[in-house]
Amino acid sequence: MPRTLIAGNWKMNGLIANLAEVERVSAAVSPSSEGPELLLCLPATLIAAASSRSDGSHLKIGGETCHPKEKGAHTGDISAEMLKDAGASYVIVGHSERRADCGETDQIVASQAAAALRAGLTPIICVGETLSQRDAGDVLDVISTQMAGSIPENAAAGAIVVAYEPVWAIGTGRVASSEQIAEVHRLVRDLLVKRFGDAGRGTRILYGGSMNPGNAAEILGVDEVNGGLIGGASLKADDFLAIYRLAAQ
Ligand code: PGA
């Protein structure tokens, strides 16, 4: 069984004052914890400070996106190497908000994930269908296409994480049913095994979309769910830790 990963995604939320929440999370878990991995992906402005404030703790810090290149004339962008330098160990790539807001295609997402691997970060590669794609019965096709296009050539099964986030469940309070989650996670697992052989059984597959302390136990109990990517409920230390504790049971 792959080790569970409980990952927060603060999105475009958080000022220096909110680092108190990061400190509360890192102080609440024992440094030697053998339970699930615990991660907060933060706005780039907070990564260096959050990393130093959680140094030596069980909590890891990640970024929310990265540019495919290492450096150069790309005003406003942030490279995977810069995230690593600031103390990150993970980075989310291909979140549906970036696919929609910034026109990030599968090809761009694959190049960002490759950049993460180059820099020594673990990419969390997001896939997920929109409501109209689900209504049209295209879920499995959409996920298969995103999986084929978004995982870079040079990836090893253990070096990446995949997150299934149905777009209609993100920030809406509308959670996918256990059956819907199980169906897609099974498909993702099959695709990983096809691509990586047996090693594909070790890749973590996270669920994301309106996960909270009230529904986390059920979601985490679904077959092939190896953790969660949590937006809104990761902003408050109490909620995020409640989900972590459920995962640790
Ligand atoms: P949510 O966001 O938990 O607020 O729905 C999840 C995500 O977008 O990663």
Side-chain angles (χ1 to χ4, degrees):
M1 279 278 282
R3 187 174 180 201
T4 303
L5 171 62
I6 298 298
N9 172 15
W10 274 20
K11 310 190 179 187
M12 199 171 74
N13 297 292
L15 303 175
I16 296 292
N18 302 102
L19 288 172
E21 297 298 315
V22 176
E23 286 177 354
R24 288 183 61 205
V25 171
S26 72
V29 286
S30 110
S32 61
S33 177
E34 284 175 3
E37 255 189 285
L38 186 61
L39 167 70
L40 275 173
C41 296
L42 301 176
T45 48
L46 298 181
I47 289 174
S51 299
S52 70
R53 293 196 198 187
S54 59
D55 198 26
S57 89
H58 183 60
L59 175 68
K60 296 187 171 131
I61 302 298
E64 298 178 5
T65 185
C66 64
H67 192 277
K69 300 237 174 81
E70 183 185 344
K71 59 184 173 184
H74 302 285
T75 303
D77 274 314
I78 292 176
S79 71
E81 282 77 4
M82 290 169 173
L83 294 174
K84 173 89 175 167
D85 187 48
S89 47
Y90 282 80
V91 61
I92 298 169
V93 295
H95 190 283
S96 60
E97 287 152 13
R98 293 202 58 88
R99 288 179 186 262
D101 293 354
C102 309
E104 291 179 357
T105 60
D106 289 339
Q107 199 186 2
I108 292 171
V109 175
S111 64
Q112 293 168 320
L117 294 170
R118 178 189 70 216
L121 300 176
T122 303
I124 299 176
I125 302 167
C126 299
V127 297
E129 81 286 358
T130 62
L131 191 55
S132 59
Q133 289 167 331
R134 176 163 283 275
D135 288 344
D138 291 341
V139 177
L140 301 185
D141 278 352
V142 168
I143 302 299
S144 302
T145 303
Q146 289 179 338
M147 286 286 293
S150 305
I151 298 178
E153 294 277 316
N154 63 340
I160 60 166
V161 174
V162 174
Y164 168 55
E165 298 204 303
V167 177
W168 48 273
I170 295 176
T172 58
R174 198 175 150 194
V175 191
S177 70
S178 294
E179 293 72 31
Q180 289 170 326
I181 297 172
E183 182 185 36
V184 176
H185 278 239
R186 246 191 323 266
L187 168 74
V188 170
R189 179 67 68 209
D190 287 349
L191 294 169
L192 289 166
V193 170
K194 246 183 225 146
R195 169 130 181 196
F196 296 113
D198 241 13
R201 297 189 197 288
T203 306
R204 268 106 41 107
I205 311 172
L206 313 183
Y207 168 81
S210 297
M211 206 162 150
N212 61 46
N215 59 30
E218 182 179 342
I219 294 169
L220 293 168
V222 174
D223 218 25
E224 302 294 3
V225 172
N226 309 122
L229 183 54
I230 299 133
S234 72
L235 294 171
K236 289 271 167 261
D238 287 345
D239 287 347
F240 190 53
L241 285 166
I243 296 172
Y244 176 75
R245 290 191 183 112
L246 286 166
Q249 276 172 10

